[in-house]
Amino acid sequence: MNPDPKVSFDNTAIAFADQSDAKLYKTYLLFAAMNNNSLVKMGGTMMRKALEWNLPVKTLIKKTIFEQFCGGETIEECTPTIERLGKSNIGTILDYSVEGEGSEQSFDHTAQEIIATIERAHQSKHIPFSVFKVTGVADSAILTKVQKGQPLTPAEQTAYDKARARVKAICQRAFDRGVRIFIDAEESWFQETIDQLTYEMMALYNKERAIVYNTYQLYRHDRLDVIKRDYENAVRDGYYLGGKLVRGAYMEKEAKTAQQQGYGNPINPSKQATDDLYNAALKFCVEHADRIAICAGTHNEDSCYVLMQLMAQHGIQPNDERFYFAQLLGMSDNLSYNLAHAGYNVAKYVPYGPVESVMPYLLRRADENTAIAGQSSREFNLVSKERARRKKQSA
């Protein structure tokens, strides 16, 4: 049941209000293509090869799938997207989506780029959060060794110390600028190392409010227990817990690795189990809002309704700064725009980076839209509905 009559996720007039007829038609064609699994696979392979061979396809990519899911190649190029979303009271989360090269030089560059997003957020009322992946500033192999308790070589220890210093520099700048920052979740075999780094940062910078947020992937069956433990630790040590709640992004990889290495699969046995755990986590966080601030990163309509209902039950206003909804740019505008229109805090993840470098991200979005049951069809149907509504209105 919809707990807020002001919100209807089927209201396409609000969902696509800032898209011209031409832009809407372009979106329609893109999602129509994404409904075709074989076309997505073939197109992805062709785009990769074309870029490898330096064929002149960059403009085509930039004007199609890149334009749908990314804000630009640089922070500055994202400005029109930031302003467009801001006019609908939707915030931007600038997400530097370049996959790390694994060198110390690339780690330093990524750290400086994340700090640049914090500076941009500090200057804009439309950018409520920054975000980064620890593997963008640290070697995942070293993070894995730390989690396993294996001794590091002197060179590895030096590299790990540098990585920790980068994480601290990013969080320190976020604290200094009053910009909240998400530390993304990653693979389970080094997630505990990321968690420990995040708790260190929370203890330093979350004394007055949540600045640093950990990310909880609720497709992992132990994550609600971890949230509860983290809450108790925050209470004990006198800081606020920031949590970004997502379902997760590495399911097939996690299951395959668990099978290969002979340990129990950390993933829930079914989608329903994940949905139930996600909603239970929302409930726990709302019930402990005295010490927890959350961002519900979800494209699931039911979970949005659950959070809205919980907020209403506990007398929490839609615009309470401790509660945010977030979706990816180019997806689920029916959620983002309708929630924002009703006064809820909403932000869009806006990935950016050179076209060649964000191709892995773009291809994951394309795969995701075909793999998630009905996701591309849902997007396609909503766009089709809005085009039909406009034609009828102009007739």
Side-chain angles (χ1 to χ4, degrees), residues 218-385:
L218 273 304
Y219 69 175
R220 289 185 56 180
H221 54 67
D222 65 345
R223 289 300 95 177
L224 179 52
D225 292 334
V226 170
I227 292 172
K228 291 177 178 179
R229 180 202 67 195
D230 291 353
Y231 168 76
E232 290 170 3
N233 290 341
V235 171
R236 183 194 67 209
D237 296 335
Y239 61 83
Y240 290 86
L241 178 64
K244 181 178 64 157
L245 275 53
V246 300
R247 278 169 168 76
Y250 306 98
M251 188 158 60
E252 291 178 7
K253 190 176 182 181
E254 289 281 359
K256 186 177 179 182
T257 303
Q259 185 177 30
Q260 287 173 344
Q261 299 189 9
Y263 60 82
N265 189 348
I267 306 302
N268 282 314
S270 66
K271 181 183 182 300
Q272 188 60 53
T274 295
D275 291 344
D276 292 344
L277 196 65
Y278 189 95
N279 294 340
L282 290 176
K283 184 173 186 288
F284 178 83
C285 291
V286 172
E287 288 173 349
H288 297 84
D290 59 313
R291 185 65 64 170
I292 301 179
I294 64 166
C295 175
T298 181
H299 292 240
N300 185 288
E301 293 183 14
D302 289 341
S303 289
C304 290
Y305 283 138
V306 165
L307 181 51
M308 291 158 60
Q309 189 167 31
L310 287 165
M311 290 172 68
Q313 287 171 354
H314 288 79
I316 297 169
Q317 294 301 310
N319 64 350
D320 190 305
E321 277 294 303
R322 296 170 298 175
F323 293 91
Y324 260 82
F325 296 81
Q327 289 82 37
L328 297 170
L329 182 70
M331 293 172 62
S332 298
D333 285 348
N334 63 312
L335 304 186
S336 308
Y337 282 79
N338 281 297
L339 284 165
H341 186 76
Y344 290 88
N345 294 321
V346 182
K348 283 282 200 185
Y349 260 65
V350 176
Y352 75 95
V355 171
E356 303 87 346
S357 301
V358 299
M359 278 308 297
Y361 172 86
L362 291 173
L363 295 175
R364 279 200 300 276
R365 292 290 76 77
D367 287 340
E368 190 175 85
N369 273 281
T370 55
I372 296 174
Q375 179 65 46
S376 60
S377 296
R378 173 71 167 147
E379 301 283 357
F380 178 72
N381 290 339
L382 286 165
V383 173
S384 299
K385 180 183 172 183

Side-chain angles (χ1 to χ4, degrees), residues 108-149:
D108 285 338
H109 172 76
T110 298
Q112 289 307 309
E113 189 68 28
I114 303 308
I115 287 172
T117 69
I118 293 168
E119 292 296 337
R120 184 72 174 83
H122 175 61
Q123 297 160 8
S124 173
K125 63 181 180 180
H126 299 312
I127 308 179
F129 301 94
S130 285
V131 62
F132 74 103
K133 277 184 167 62
V134 171
T135 52
V137 298
D139 187 328
S140 60
I142 295 175
L143 298 175
T144 302
K145 284 188 76 172
V146 171
Q147 180 157 317
K148 289 179 176 178

Side-chain angles (χ1 to χ4, degrees), residues 2 14 17-18 29-30 40 96 115 118 198 216 263 286 289 300 326 347:
N2 184 353
I14 291 174
D18 70 358
L29 292 175
L30 188 65
V40 168
Y96 183 56
I115 287 172
I118 293 168
T198 306
Y216 299 95
Y263 60 82
V286 172
N300 185 288

